[in-house]
Amino acid sequence: PKTDIVFLKVHKSASSTVMNVLFRFGETHNLTFAFPIGGGNQLFYPRHFLARFVQGFSPRSPQRFNILCHHMRFLQPEVQKVVSSSAIYFSILRNPVQLMESSFMYYKGTSAFSRARSLEEFFNQPYHYYNPADSDSHYARNLMTFDFGFNPNGAVSAKRVQLMLKAIEASFDLLLISEYFDESMVLLKEMLCWDLDSVISFPLNIRDSSTKSPLSDTIVEKIKDWNRLDWEIYTHFNRTFWERIDQDIGRERMQQEVKALRKRQAELARTCLQGIGSVAPKDIKDSSLQPLQHGKAKILGYNLKQGLDKETERMCRRLVTPELQYSSALYKKQFAQKRP
């Protein structure tokens, strides 16, 4: 199994669920994480990543960490200072249309979105709301482009798009697609030589469908135009994702793998969860499993079954612990011995 991993956590793309997979694997195998200084869940985002943002990094004795997965704006030369040269790099992408709709609800408090009542209103006159100079403007345009380290307001020329795609291809071993999450997990499992249980997950940081709104065709086209760089990244890597499946696994075996993964996930849900799955924030009984609520989004969580034996309870709890709580528990564990 591969244990040196860089995951670029792209916003609003099922990346919290992927992070849970990495947290569990790292904890089980006693791996070290590249945590932000002082803990927390962002490596000084939205600044470009620097090695000195990582707790325990020192240029004099460069310690290598196994897993780098907290929110950062990608900058490979700096990333290379904190992980082994053989580390596997991967990330996850999402259709920019859904990504924009999700960001609008989740980042409602940002300067670009706070005054617009709806996406329609925002797109009627985007520059009335959007100012590229605002420090939080990246949430409102080409967010994936920004997270990969590029300029989200750059001109969309064929040459520039090519260079950007080539740069991403040169840096990353695999790009997952959140719309094909199960297929993505199978590809990840193959690439990392992990077993099935290591990549099983329950969806985390997802919002209640009551806060989702259907988009008109006109708005969909406007979103694609506005996020043209993201759209180019997404369509290119959505294509290579399927090419990769055909080349490495084949469609038929992929179907069997996905079936096995879903079957195992359903078994674990029956073992671990009360009811049939996620519940509204107000219905989460254990406050330590309460996910962060953000913007206008209603983030769902889980209730664990009562009366599980210790071992099962521990496994189940890991599966449903929200990102911030899990991260802070791992941080305390990793740095506990350092405290006087």
Side-chain angles (χ1 to χ4, degrees):
K2 305 270 195 291
T3 53
D4 292 317
I5 294 160
V6 174
F7 172 52
L8 177 64
K9 186 176 190 294
V10 170
H11 287 78
K12 310 315 307 152
S13 304
S15 56
S16 295
T17 309
V18 178
M19 205 168 179
N20 177 270
V21 167
L22 297 174
F23 280 168
R24 283 176 7 239
F25 188 86
E27 185 177 21
T28 309
H29 295 84
N30 228 352
L31 304 177
T32 55
F33 289 89
F35 282 108
I37 286 175
N41 67 327
Q42 309 222 353
L43 288 150
F44 293 79
Y45 186 88
R47 290 169 62 185
H48 272 105
F49 176 81
L50 295 174
R52 60 182 171 82
F53 295 162
V54 172
Q55 175 117 11
F57 171 81
S58 137
R60 289 184 303 284
S61 62
Q63 184 203 343
R64 303 289 183 191
F65 298 87
N66 297 117
I67 299 178
L68 172 61
C69 63
H70 287 71
H71 271 308
M72 64 171 158
R73 188 172 183 205
F74 191 65
L75 186 59
Q76 192 162 16
E78 289 291 317
V79 168
Q80 285 166 334
K81 295 177 186 176
V82 298
V83 294
S84 121
S85 58
S86 61
I88 299 271
Y89 287 67
F90 78 100
S91 185
I92 188 164
L93 305 171
R94 184 181 184 186
N95 184 317
V97 176
Q98 277 70 52
L99 182 83
M100 179 93 192
E101 190 271 335
S102 178
S103 299
F104 184 78
M105 296 304 290
Y106 199 80
Y107 301 114
K108 199 69 188 84
T110 58
S111 42
F113 291 152
S114 59
R115 290 174 300 126
R117 278 182 304 231
S118 64
L119 271 176
E120 280 78 5
E121 196 172 291
F122 177 83
F123 280 113
N124 281 340
Q125 37 178 354
Y127 284 105
H128 174 69
Y129 300 106
Y130 175 79
N131 175 359
D134 289 337
S135 62
D136 58 3
S137 68
H138 56 280
Y139 290 117
R141 187 173 204 184
N142 290 315
L143 181 51
M144 293 191 287
T145 302
F146 182 87
D147 285 354
F148 276 96
F150 304 104
N151 173 11
N153 293 294
V156 187
S157 65
K159 189 180 173 199
R160 200 160 171 277
V161 168
Q162 272 322 100
L163 286 170
M164 188 170 72
L165 296 176
K166 279 206 162 64
I168 295 173
E169 260 165 2
S171 303
F172 287 85
D173 299 289
L174 178 63
L175 285 151
L176 308 175
I177 303 288
S178 65
E179 283 79 12
Y180 303 104
F181 192 80
D182 293 345
E183 290 85 351
S184 292
M185 289 300 103
V186 172
L187 273 184
L188 187 65
K189 167 176 87 80
E190 296 282 306
M191 184 178 70
L192 298 176
C193 306
W194 289 6
D195 63 6
L196 183 64
D197 270 18
S198 298
V199 297
I200 298 283
S201 60
F202 297 145
L204 294 174
N205 205 29
I206 53 164
R207 62 194 171 114
D208 187 15
S209 53
S210 69
T211 63
K212 295 179 186 173
S213 45
L215 303 169
S216 69
D217 294 351
T218 321
I219 289 294
V220 167
E221 289 312 311
K222 283 180 176 175
I223 293 177
K224 285 183 197 172
D225 274 348
W226 179 253
N227 297 288
R228 180 56 59 189
L229 294 170
D230 271 11
W231 185 251
E232 295 288 346
I233 292 175
Y234 178 77
T235 48
H236 174 81
F237 288 107
N238 188 10
R239 194 179 66 249
T240 58
F241 177 82
W242 293 100
E243 285 168 7
R244 176 86 169 250
I245 288 174
D246 290 336
Q247 184 191 314
D248 293 3
I249 295 180
R251 301 276 170 125
E252 207 169 309
R253 195 181 131 221
M254 176 53 91
Q255 279 182 323
Q256 292 162 349
E257 293 271 354
V258 164
K259 214 160 136 183
L261 180 122
R262 288 177 181 161
K263 187 176 163 211
R264 182 68 184 125
Q265 185 186 26
E267 276 169 22
L268 283 171
R270 283 195 296 274
T271 304
C272 296
L273 304 179
Q274 276 182 35
I276 47 163
S278 49
V279 297
K282 62 174 182 15
D283 299 322
I284 299 167
K285 300 186 179 82
D286 180 342
S287 61
S288 71
L289 297 178
Q290 181 74 254
L292 174 77
Q293 300 299 321
H294 205 282
K296 284 259 173 76
K298 244 205 246 159
I299 305 298
L300 305 173
Y302 296 93
N303 286 318
L304 289 179
K305 269 193 180 152
Q306 300 293 301
L308 298 170
D309 66 79
K310 240 196 174 114
E311 196 49 38
T312 309
E313 210 269 349
R314 207 168 82 214
M315 174 204 56
C316 293
R317 182 168 286 277
R318 282 175 175 170
L319 277 162
V320 299
T321 299
E323 179 188 326
L324 299 186
Q325 288 92 311
Y326 208 152
S327 181
S328 114
L330 291 172
Y331 176 83
K332 286 187 184 119
K333 197 169 161 183
Q334 190 166 309
F335 294 104
Q337 61 281 19
K338 309 271 159 62
R339 298 225 175 89

